[in-house]
Amino acid sequence: MNRREEYVKLLRELEQPAPALDDTVQRAAAKRKKRNWIVKPLTSFAILCLTFVLAVNLSAPIADACSRIPFLKDLAKAVTFSNSLTDAVDNEYVQPINLKESKNGITVSVDYLIVDQKQVNIFFRVDSENYSHLAIDPKITKADGGFLACSYSLNDWDAENGELQSMTVDFVNEDVPESMEMVLQIYDEYSGEEVTLEDPDFPEITENPNTYIATFSLPLSFDPDFIAAGKRIPVNETVVLDGQNVTFTEIEIYPTHMRIDIKTDQSNTAWLADLDLYILADDNKEFKPASNGTKATGSTESMEMNSYYCDSTYFHKAEKLTIVVTGAHWLDKGHYRYHVNLRTGKSEKLPYGIKILSTKQKENRWKIKFDNTAVPAEDWISHICDSNGKKYDINLWDSLGNIYFEDYPEEEAWIVPYYNRQWRPDSPVKVEIKQ
């Protein structure tokens, strides 16, 4: 039995109410239903005091934890962007920590972690009375500062000083390591001056390089008692979607999210760029695509997305799950590049009725201006490639429908979209799984 189980067992033994305090417990429970497992309401003050003294003297980890953990009311508000994280907090799946550091009039504190085998959610504050609006350039590294194979993003790009904000770190092929480092470079967002280059054909607004007030390197270690291993449910069922064979291989269920893994047939005539789906639990509760950033992931070696993220069923104990497919986006293998003459602006017919209005070159940069009324360019263009298939990233998009790319060596280019065909079935396609 680990120390968390020992402590939870201890708390359960204390939940038998003293008769004189029955009403007090009910009133207290009504006021605060969502507390951390370490601060669950205890009904007898006398027993609480005695047990607390014994626990503190007999267990150093319990003493340390009890001295540091506040109520999770602020955390409950901070996770409303994710149904899965809301469920995690409601079910007391939280690792409270007390990590604080101050530099140059700025204080950074890490309050909570929500961690499982594949995802880390870090809840922290950045505060100062000296600056009006602090902003962050974040980075996640190994504990020794080396490269860590993960993706990460801030969930709050406009948090006020002192507000609880969060960062989500996803691991695709690797599991969450035992420790890692969060690096935060802090600057005053309102201190920079914008410089506008006076060129109507190549409007470009750049900011002066950020002047960092302070850089924090915060070591994060994960208590294994708070890291749940994922549950994998084999599916291995093939369905035909829009004439293409798609095999659902398995479902991975974690406290923070759920992944639906797929594999497509090599003989398919199109790559699966996106899949619209949700999970139905016991025929009555929907778990929709994840709303906290990542909806799907794929390999850099493929044009396809092969793992789709949904809200998690981890805390719901469903007996039956059903994958419900409501649509798909495809990229046809036979025609996935669209030729453009950069000198004349002429192109072959583009998807969705989109048209090129003009093209222009300035030194080593190219600009293509699209009719942006049908679908904004950033929503459908993946990248540019040359006659040899070499990929060139888009360096800049703007709201006028212009894209910019650099160091392109040819006068002809090929536009590669994320997808060029959408599909909706007459009725949803369902795949039922028993847990």
Side-chain angles (χ1 to χ4, degrees), residues 137 187 191-193 206-212:
D137 282 341
Y187 61 97
S191 65
E193 296 182 1
T206 60
E207 292 186 357
N208 291 334
N210 293 326
T211 301
Y212 297 118

Side-chain angles (χ1 to χ4, degrees), residues 230-236 248-253 258-261 313 318-321 323 432-435:
K231 178 181 180 182
R232 293 175 178 264
I233 304 174
V235 181
N236 295 320
F248 291 93
T249 57
E250 67 177 1
I251 292 180
E252 304 174 55
I253 302 175
M258 176 166 48
R259 302 182 185 186
I260 298 90
D261 300 325
T313 64
E319 294 183 1
K320 184 178 75 171
L321 300 177
I323 303 171
E432 294 188 356
I433 306 109
K434 291 285 186 179
Q435 293 208 63

Side-chain angles (χ1 to χ4, degrees), residues 245-306:
N245 293 321
V246 176
T247 301
F248 291 93
T249 57
E250 67 177 1
I251 292 180
E252 304 174 55
I253 302 175
Y254 305 96
T256 61
H257 66 292
M258 176 166 48
R259 302 182 185 186
I260 298 90
D261 300 325
I262 64 101
K263 183 179 180 181
T264 59
D265 197 309
Q266 292 186 352
S267 64
N268 286 351
T269 60
W271 290 296
L272 180 59
D274 189 26
L275 198 57
D276 298 326
L277 55 75
Y278 63 89
I279 296 293
L280 191 63
D282 292 334
D283 298 324
N284 58 15
K285 184 173 178 57
E286 291 185 9
F287 292 83
K288 297 181 178 180
S291 55
N292 62 327
T294 305
K295 179 187 175 183
T297 56
S299 168
T300 56
E301 301 174 355
S302 172
M303 303 288 284
E304 296 188 300
M305 293 301 210
N306 51 27

Side-chain angles (χ1 to χ4, degrees), residues 80-347:
T80 54
F81 65 89
S82 167
N83 291 331
S84 294
L85 296 185
T86 297
D87 286 343
V89 173
D90 287 345
N91 286 272
E92 302 155 359
Y93 184 78
V94 178
Q95 179 182 343
I97 60 175
N98 184 21
L99 182 60
K100 183 179 290 188
E101 186 176 348
S102 296
K103 288 182 182 178
N104 301 337
I106 300 173
T107 298
V108 173
S109 61
V110 182
D111 297 345
Y112 311 101
L113 300 172
I114 298 180
V115 188
D116 59 32
Q117 191 178 1
K118 288 292 187 179
Q119 189 179 94
V120 178
N121 290 273
I122 309 163
F123 296 87
F124 64 97
R125 304 175 196 271
V126 179
D127 199 9
S128 176
E129 296 181 355
N130 301 335
Y131 302 95
S132 57
H133 198 281
L134 295 172
I136 303 169
D137 282 341
K139 187 178 181 180
I140 297 294
T141 70
K142 289 183 177 180
D144 61 4
F147 172 77
L148 187 61
C150 64
S151 62
Y152 52 88
S153 63
L154 292 173
N155 296 314
D156 314 270
W157 288 99
D158 196 29
E160 296 294 331
N161 291 357
E163 282 188 356
L164 188 65
Q165 55 183 303
S166 64
M167 180 191 300
T168 297
V169 185
D170 276 302
F171 293 81
V172 179
N173 298 320
E174 307 284 337
D175 287 346
V176 169
E178 294 181 355
S179 62
M180 64 188 194
E181 190 151 284
M182 178 174 71
V183 179
L184 301 180
Q185 294 176 302
I186 312 296
Y187 61 97
D188 187 351
E189 188 173 20
Y190 296 156
S191 65
E193 296 182 1
E194 292 186 347
V195 178
T196 304
L197 303 182
E198 297 179 358
D199 187 336
D201 291 321
F202 281 81
E204 180 182 5
I205 298 178
T206 60
E207 292 186 357
N208 291 334
N210 293 326
T211 301
Y212 297 118
I213 306 166
T215 298
F216 295 83
S217 297
L218 302 164
L220 302 176
S221 298
F222 309 123
D223 187 335
D225 291 345
F226 289 88
I227 301 179
K231 178 181 180 182
R232 293 175 178 264
I233 304 174
V235 181
N236 295 320
E237 183 166 339
T238 301
V239 296
V240 179
L241 306 177
D242 194 23
Q244 314 292 323
N245 293 321
V246 176
T247 301
F248 291 93
T249 57
E250 67 177 1
I251 292 180
E252 304 174 55
I253 302 175
Y254 305 96
T256 61
H257 66 292
M258 176 166 48
R259 302 182 185 186
I260 298 90
D261 300 325
I262 64 101
K263 183 179 180 181
T264 59
D265 197 309
Q266 292 186 352
S267 64
N268 286 351
T269 60
W271 290 296
L272 180 59
D274 189 26
L275 198 57
D276 298 326
L277 55 75
Y278 63 89
I279 296 293
L280 191 63
D282 292 334
D283 298 324
N284 58 15
K285 184 173 178 57
E286 291 185 9
F287 292 83
K288 297 181 178 180
S291 55
N292 62 327
T294 305
K295 179 187 175 183
T297 56
S299 168
T300 56
E301 301 174 355
S302 172
M303 303 288 284
E304 296 188 300
M305 293 301 210
N306 51 27
S307 189
Y308 294 83
Y309 291 20
C310 283
D311 291 332
S312 176
T313 64
Y314 185 87
F315 299 105
H316 294 268
K317 312 302 181 185
E319 294 183 1
K320 184 178 75 171
L321 300 177
T322 303
I323 303 171
V324 183
V325 179
T326 60
H329 295 74
W330 305 97
L331 182 60
D332 289 320
K333 293 180 179 180
H335 190 187
Y336 66 94
R337 305 191 306 172
Y338 295 83
H339 176 261
V340 179
N341 186 314
L342 294 176
R343 286 296 175 202
T344 64
K346 301 293 183 182
S347 73

